[in-house]
Amino acid sequence: MRAHEAGAMHAEGYRGPSWLKPPADANDLVTHLWARSVGRARDGELTVGGVDVRDIAAEFGTPAYVIDEEDFRGRAREFKEAFAEAFGDLCGGADVYYAGKAFLCTQVARWVHEEGLHLDVCSGGELAVAIRAGVPGERIGLHGNNKSVAEIEAALRHGVGRIVLDSFEEIDRVAAAARRLGVVAPVLLRVTVGVEAHTHEYIATAHEDQKFGFSLSGGQAAEAVRRVLEHPAYLSLKGLHSHIGSQIFDVSGFEVAARRVMGLHLDVAREHGVELPELDLGGGFGIAYTTQHDPLAPKVLAAGMAEIVARECRADGVAVPRVSVEPGRAIAGPSTFTLYEVGTVKEVLLDGAATRTYVAVDGGMSDNIRPALYDADYSCTLANRRSEALPALARVVGKHCESGDIIVKDEFLPSDVAPGDLIAVPGTGAYCRSLSSQYNHVPRPPVVAVRDGQARLLVRRETVEDILALDVE
């Protein structure tokens, strides 16, 4: 049958994607999509950390990012404990760096430090948050493919534990900064290993045709090692770094990456007589945004990665380096949902007599660009009440002047959803606030943390005054 010119969503009899099944009860929560304290109270209203979302909306307004603090902390602890256990007998443990790009603010940086994790930052702004939060320099790693001199010097002054080098120019830039400041910069080399994770093209980062790192196959990585070792007074090569992508649901990609990067590790030992003490395998661990996703638990990830690294080191006859990983999404993502208020509801007739309910809310692509940017899927639920209405196929859209301003492409909501209702979208803790904008001059939402029956602001709502403050009259 010929495909419809407007795409699959308009094809005859469209009833949503194959993985989306109509629920028997539209009030049911798919619990693994939500922070652990989220549930429904007697009247069907959503609660988180013992707080009614209607109270959150009344106090802080909508839209709002709502983060379960204990859920966030618990996921951070799980990663730390799982990797410490899995690598304990191999190399004395492992270091877990929270990838601050997923979501970072002063309080979150403090949570990460208090739970015993390190912090990975990739800009001067993220570094400034870490410093403000009191994170010690030795527990911070600086990433980025084009670090400025000012960013490098700020990191060295704070005594960061590592700078991940990404280009030949950066080797010279960091060495020069270290010389000016009279310090030795601890560095890792980011290596592209030719592994393309099963993910969206724009978030797969280890294949050769992209901006990050030094290529293994082209010999750039080996040359980078040589150049770093030429600056022993200013650069201390701690190890190699590999990151293969995002939203990864198995360890097979890490197996290939580890094998290839350990090959370079062995070459360095043979050619230069230097056995590098560290190996960073990156992050990219997937989470469940919808029922189609089945992520691995940290304990399973850690065990699988430990087995891979141990096997490769035994085969090469080298000691297991101290391993580090960089989860961001897997900690922040499930801990947070975005709370919206419905403004309008309209029924749209599709081909084949099918219909779809368009539910417009008071946010959109300015607070969650991922569906437009990555074609990302999300789920949602009616949050302020229980409904006895039958489920109806719905699309949750934003208020922005773009046809692509879609938050949830397909989900079943009660057919009586109406203006004034609250809609909650789970899994928005990673990259939603970080990638947010002021498109259409819409102020960014607040971040509200909930714990033990109390809600408090982590990041306040922007105002129109904030938006106008940067304009020069």
Side-chain angles (χ1 to χ4, degrees):
M1 185 177 75
R2 186 171 65 91
H4 193 283
E5 290 84 348
M9 70 180 67
H10 297 287
E12 183 175 348
Y14 180 70
R15 293 294 186 272
S18 60
W19 52 263
L20 181 63
K21 308 302 181 186
D25 184 348
N27 302 286
D28 289 345
L29 290 179
V30 181
T31 55
H32 71 277
L33 305 184
W34 298 84
R36 289 154 185 165
S37 74
V38 172
R40 290 199 185 273
R42 178 177 300 176
D43 295 328
E45 67 275 21
L46 209 64
T47 64
V48 53
V51 179
D52 188 329
V53 296
R54 298 174 300 185
D55 294 335
I56 293 174
E59 181 175 359
F60 301 102
T62 57
Y65 303 107
V66 182
I67 181 169
D68 180 341
E69 178 180 345
E70 186 50 46
D71 185 271
F72 184 104
R73 287 178 177 268
R75 293 177 193 276
R77 285 194 299 271
E78 286 175 9
F79 268 97
K80 182 176 185 297
E81 293 166 1
F83 278 85
E85 179 182 348
F87 285 89
D89 293 335
L90 298 177
C91 56
D95 296 317
V96 177
Y97 281 75
Y98 171 68
K101 63 181 181 175
F103 171 64
L104 193 65
C105 67
T106 303
Q107 284 295 322
V108 162
R110 287 178 182 148
W111 295 352
V112 168
H113 179 51
E114 288 166 2
E115 297 300 337
L117 276 67
H118 294 60
L119 180 60
D120 179 73
V121 301
C122 54
S123 73
E126 290 181 357
L127 176 62
V129 172
I131 293 172
R132 182 183 186 186
V135 181
E138 64 269 18
R139 300 187 71 82
I140 298 173
L142 176 64
H143 241 106
N145 70 298
N146 186 22
K147 309 172 195 68
S148 70
V149 171
E151 289 171 328
I152 292 166
E153 290 188 348
L156 292 175
R157 287 192 183 97
H158 193 58
V160 298
R162 58 165 63 169
I163 296 177
V164 182
L165 299 177
D166 200 88
S167 65
F168 293 120
E169 289 85 359
E170 201 164 76
I171 294 172
D172 297 334
R173 194 174 297 164
V174 174
R179 182 174 62 249
R180 286 192 298 273
L181 297 176
V183 299
V184 178
V187 300
L188 273 67
L189 291 173
R190 178 159 179 172
V191 178
T192 51
V193 294
V195 177
E196 185 166 3
H198 298 290
T199 186
H200 190 281
E201 177 187 358
Y202 292 169
I203 52 179
T205 55
H207 55 85
E208 301 294 339
D209 187 14
Q210 46 92 21
K211 70 177 187 176
F212 291 108
F214 297 95
S215 168
L216 264 181
S217 63
Q220 291 181 333
E223 174 63 15
V225 169
R226 186 187 64 78
R227 293 195 191 185
V228 170
L229 294 176
E230 287 178 346
H231 299 282
Y234 305 112
L235 300 178
S236 174
L237 182 57
K238 297 298 184 183
L240 305 174
H241 180 287
S242 170
H243 180 68
I244 61 172
S246 298
Q247 271 297 84
I248 300 167
F249 292 100
D250 59 54
V251 297
S252 58
F254 293 105
E255 181 167 11
V256 179
R259 183 181 308 125
R260 293 179 182 177
V261 78
M262 285 307 300
L264 178 60
H265 180 95
L266 182 60
D267 289 344
V268 173
R270 288 171 174 168
E271 181 178 349
H272 302 283
V274 176
E275 196 158 310
L276 301 175
E278 298 182 25
L279 171 65
D280 191 315
L281 290 175
F285 312 120
I287 68 168
Y289 287 106
T290 68
T291 54
Q292 66 184 310
H293 301 134
D294 186 21
L296 297 177
K299 196 172 183 105
V300 177
L301 280 168
M305 294 174 77
E307 181 183 353
I308 290 166
V309 171
R311 183 171 64 246
E312 295 304 319
C313 289
R314 282 196 302 269
D316 290 341
V318 297
V320 176
R322 187 168 181 86
V323 168
S324 51
V325 291
E326 300 168 359
R329 180 199 317 266
I331 294 173
S335 71
T336 300
F337 62 85
T338 307
L339 189 63
Y340 300 99
E341 182 177 320
V342 176
T344 66
V345 179
K346 66 172 70 171
E347 296 295 323
V348 175
L349 182 65
L350 307 180
D351 291 347
T355 63
R356 193 203 310 274
T357 303
Y358 271 74
V359 179
V361 297
D362 53 354
M365 64 193 304
S366 61
D367 60 73
N368 188 354
I369 191 63
R370 294 190 69 256
L373 185 62
Y374 297 135
D375 197 30
D377 290 310
Y378 282 87
S379 179
C380 63
T381 193
L382 181 66
N384 58 302
R385 62 182 174 89
R386 182 178 302 280
S387 172
E388 302 303 324
L390 293 174
L393 185 63
R395 172 162 291 175
V396 179
V397 297
K399 62 180 293 178
H400 297 285
C401 193
E402 294 282 346
S403 59
D405 180 24
I406 298 169
I407 301 169
V408 181
K409 288 180 287 186
D410 293 288
E411 186 55 278
F412 287 93
L413 286 172
S415 55
D416 64 350
V417 63
D421 277 333
L422 298 177
I423 297 291
V425 177
T428 57
Y431 301 104
C432 291
R433 181 60 173 80
S434 297
L435 289 169
S436 64
S437 72
Q438 297 172 344
Y439 182 49
N440 289 153
H441 281 57
V442 173
R444 281 176 279 224
V447 181
V448 180
V450 179
R451 185 177 185 182
D452 298 331
Q454 300 293 322
R456 73 185 194 282
L457 278 177
L458 297 187
V459 181
R460 69 167 174 83
R461 183 183 301 280
E462 280 185 338
T463 65
V464 172
E465 288 72 26
D466 292 325
I467 293 175
L468 297 176
L470 296 180
D471 282 12
V472 179
E473 296 188 40

